Amino acid sequence: MDKGIVTLVGAGCSKELITAGGLEKLRNADVVVYDDLIDNDLLLEAESTAEKIYVGKRYKNHSKNQEEINSILIEKAKENKNVVRLKGGDSFVFGRGAEEFIALEKENIPCQTICGVTSAVAIPEHFGIPVTHRGISQSFTVVTGSSADEANENYTALAGLNGTLIFLMSLHNVDKICASLIENGKNKNTPCSLLSRGYYPDEKRIDGTLDNIAEKSKNAETPAIFIVGAVSSMHLCNNDILPLKGVSVTVTGSENFSSKLCKKLNSLGAYTQKRTNLKIVSLTENIPNDFSKYTCVAFTSAKGVELFFSFLKQNEIDLRKLFNLKFACIGTQCANELAKYGLYADFIPEKFTAEAMGKYLDLALSHNDRVLILRSAKGSADLPFYLKKANIPYDDVHIYTTEPISQNYNVNTDYITFSSADGVHAFFENGLKFNNSKPICIGSVTAQRLKKYTDRKIIIAKEQTADGIVKAISEDKKNEKIQKTETE
């Protein structure tokens, strides 16, 4: 029987830290066998048809033991599948990746590894602690903290080291680790830090010394890393000044828009969960090949621009056939997409709505013009309505539509965003609830659809763009802080 291949992929400790090579393997996997501590958004990178098997392990709670995990990898590979074993951090740093590699090797199953960014370095750096620093620490030692009570480590040797000590999986044994280090000669006043839930919205850094850190961190949560050494006194981190630090957001919508919005929110410190619930279906076969009868092309979205120029390229239509045309765009993002092709919008309404575009073109054009509208099949009827009212000839061409994606997930973030009425419909048709999350809508049309499902207060972005949603969240958080200050 033919055999597949297994790739051990280190996923890092955040969706931002997986390597390009690891991401490529993940996107091409037939089967993904994944751990507990990976960022679940990474699973969205795999094909929807890929089989996803959870084998996570947490403190005293293992969904599968190591032998069972080995068996799963072997079984799936023998089905001639391309298997990705997705692990948090790096597979070979207390990830038992070597055991899995050896088990596969015994079965003559091809196996390869793609290293990950280990949490031993990434988490301290995220909190502003360099594991080495000239004149302070010339080395670092990584130790498993989960076996502190098994006398598996030479604490006499560890206590004598001048470098940084890094204990992974250590939260439940911090008191024993500290006691063992002090008993073996480590100064009780040695600086140390307990780094809890790094890269999560509720992450926390607790600083102290060997003689008090256990008491200080007794209410900390897993996953956690314990750092011992002088570098624990350093705070080389400006994350706290980011305006959305600690804010969590569930982002719904199409892949293209939700990815763009997540990047913008992440850059301001927010923790995002991308939940793509719409897929774009191209209808570019509706686009005419002859543009000579038109004087203006109107785009209502950046996606429409992208699909239009993709159509031109696929059909080898020369761009010079567009040079007699003017271009109208709803919003700066739509106009910026157009500019990528060396063409610049002649008309951009101040408000980024179809109604505003219709009123704008009513003033800018005449009955001697003819407009080619290229938009979603589910777009607003306002633009053609106002053109018809102004007696401006037009052709309303639908070049894409959206279809819902079936998903099942819990929403437990501070905010949830909706970028279209179709996205709202898809969310609730899946039977989902957004619980205590504050809903943010890209515009009034989307908000009207949401009102059919909830009586909760809805925040509406002033601009119908990803930037508008970001500003709406930022303003709401700012108002929250002001209200909190006034009540204290």
Side-chain angles (χ1 to χ4, degrees):
M1 180 183 292
D2 290 334
K3 295 175 185 175
I5 185 171
V6 178
T7 307
L8 308 181
V9 175
C13 38
S14 162
K15 61 191 171 189
E16 303 166 13
L17 298 183
I18 190 171
T19 64
L23 201 55
E24 180 182 1
K25 291 293 183 182
L26 178 59
R27 287 169 175 166
N28 290 291
D30 299 314
V31 181
V32 181
V33 181
Y34 64 99
D35 276 350
D36 190 80
L37 293 180
I38 68 158
D39 191 315
N40 283 330
D41 274 10
L42 286 175
L43 297 178
L44 301 175
E45 298 290 344
E47 290 286 350
S48 59
T49 54
E51 183 180 4
K52 301 172 182 70
I53 303 173
Y54 171 70
V55 294
K57 299 176 183 177
R58 295 302 294 270
Y59 182 68
K60 294 184 178 180
N61 183 18
H62 293 188
S63 65
K64 294 283 189 295
N65 62 41
Q66 192 58 52
E67 288 70 25
E68 289 174 314
I69 295 172
N70 294 348
S71 295
I72 290 171
L73 297 176
I74 292 167
E75 175 190 341
K76 293 301 175 181
K78 286 185 175 180
E79 292 175 5
N80 198 27
K81 300 287 182 64
N82 179 9
V83 183
V84 164
R85 173 70 171 105
L86 195 63
K87 293 171 169 285
D90 181 87
S91 303
F92 285 0
V93 181
F94 301 128
R96 304 186 74 168
E99 295 176 41
E100 293 168 359
F101 194 103
I102 292 168
L104 292 161
E105 203 170 38
K106 286 180 180 178
E107 295 289 328
N108 294 315
I109 293 172
C111 184
Q112 58 184 197
T113 64
I114 295 181
C115 65
V117 180
T118 175
S119 60
V121 174
I123 297 296
E125 184 170 329
H126 177 65
F127 281 98
I129 300 175
V131 294
T132 64
H133 184 66
R134 189 168 62 171
I136 296 179
S137 174
Q138 306 303 311
S139 64
F140 64 92
T141 303
V142 183
V143 185
T144 175
S146 62
S147 59
D149 57 346
E150 298 174 10
N152 288 336
E153 299 297 340
N154 185 343
Y155 277 90
T156 301
L158 290 175
L161 295 175
N162 293 321
T164 306
L165 301 179
I166 304 169
F167 295 88
L168 304 185
M169 303 170 289
S170 55
L171 182 60
H172 300 288
N173 288 315
V174 169
D175 54 345
K176 296 173 183 176
I177 292 170
C178 292
S180 295
L181 289 173
I182 292 171
E183 287 172 8
N184 284 277
K186 202 76 170 174
N187 191 315
K188 67 178 183 179
N189 294 317
T190 301
C192 49
S193 298
L194 194 288
L195 310 178
S196 170
R197 297 183 60 75
Y199 285 99
Y200 288 86
D202 57 346
E203 65 183 22
K204 190 174 184 180
R205 171 177 174 166
I206 303 169
D207 296 323
T209 57
L210 281 179
D211 67 340
N212 65 22
I213 193 69
E215 178 63 25
K216 284 187 171 186
S217 59
K218 64 181 181 181
N219 294 320
E221 296 183 28
T222 59
I225 292 178
F226 182 41
I227 309 292
V228 178
V231 292
S232 295
S233 300
M234 303 181 74
H235 293 75
L236 308 180
C237 176
N238 290 319
N239 287 343
D240 289 339
I241 67 173
L242 294 174
L244 296 182
K245 172 70 174 176
V247 174
S248 57
V249 186
T250 296
V251 177
T252 69
S254 66
E255 170 65 28
N256 185 54
F257 187 87
S258 57
S259 294
K260 184 185 301 181
L261 179 53
C262 282
K263 287 180 181 178
K264 291 178 180 293
L265 290 167
N266 293 153
S267 69
L268 297 177
Y271 172 83
T272 59
Q273 293 184 333
K274 186 174 70 174
R275 298 293 180 259
T276 304
N277 64 351
L278 290 175
K279 66 178 178 179
I280 303 294
V281 179
S282 173
L283 300 174
T284 53
E285 64 272 14
N286 295 333
I287 299 175
N289 288 311
D290 182 11
F291 306 107
S292 60
K293 66 178 179 179
Y294 301 105
T295 60
C296 178
V297 176
F299 294 106
T300 63
S301 69
K303 190 63 183 180
V305 176
E306 178 191 331
L307 289 171
F308 175 67
F309 283 94
S310 176
F311 166 82
L312 296 182
K313 185 175 181 179
Q314 289 174 3
N315 290 276
E316 298 182 351
I317 298 175
D318 198 309
L319 287 177
R320 285 173 291 186
K321 291 187 177 182
L322 307 178
F323 285 179
N324 66 313
L325 298 170
K326 294 184 182 298
F327 292 91
C329 289
I330 295 181
T332 53
Q333 289 181 2
C334 183
N336 289 340
E337 185 68 25
L338 181 65
K340 291 180 181 179
Y341 302 94
L343 299 170
Y344 298 89
D346 300 278
F347 310 120
I348 306 175
E350 287 187 12
K351 291 186 177 181
F352 301 161
T353 65
E355 179 183 2
M357 172 72 88
K359 292 179 178 179
Y360 189 105
L361 294 182
D362 179 7
L363 298 174
L365 303 177
S366 72
H367 65 275
N368 294 319
D369 289 291
R370 188 176 191 88
V371 180
L372 174 61
I373 305 172
L374 301 176
R375 66 189 185 109
S376 166
K378 298 179 179 179
S380 167
D382 286 339
L383 177 53
F385 171 81
Y386 281 98
L387 291 177
K388 185 176 182 179
K389 185 178 179 181
N391 199 29
I392 298 173
Y394 68 87
D395 288 328
D396 186 12
V397 178
H398 299 158
I399 63 173
Y400 69 95
T401 189
T402 58
E403 292 182 359
I405 298 173
S406 179
Q407 286 189 335
N408 183 23
Y409 54 85
N410 293 319
V411 178
N412 54 8
T413 50
D414 299 321
Y415 297 92
I416 181 169
T417 69
F418 295 100
S419 57
S420 69
D422 283 345
V424 171
H425 178 75
F427 180 86
F428 287 99
E429 286 304 302
N430 274 325
L432 304 177
K433 298 178 180 179
F434 54 73
N435 301 314
N436 294 320
S437 302
K438 289 186 179 181
I440 309 282
C441 287
I442 197 169
S444 57
V445 173
T446 304
Q448 285 300 321
R449 179 66 66 87
L450 183 56
K451 287 178 182 178
K452 294 181 179 181
Y453 297 96
T454 182
D455 56 2
R456 294 276 301 280
K457 178 183 177 182
I458 300 169
I459 300 171
I460 303 175
K462 295 176 182 177
E463 263 180 38
Q464 293 195 41
T465 62
D467 286 329
I469 291 176
V470 173
K471 289 176 183 176
I473 294 174
S474 299
E475 288 176 6
D476 186 67
K477 290 307 297 181
K478 185 177 179 180
N479 290 336
E480 269 189 10
K481 290 179 181 177
I482 292 173
Q483 293 172 6
K484 184 178 179 181
T485 302
E486 289 176 346
T487 57
E488 289 178 349

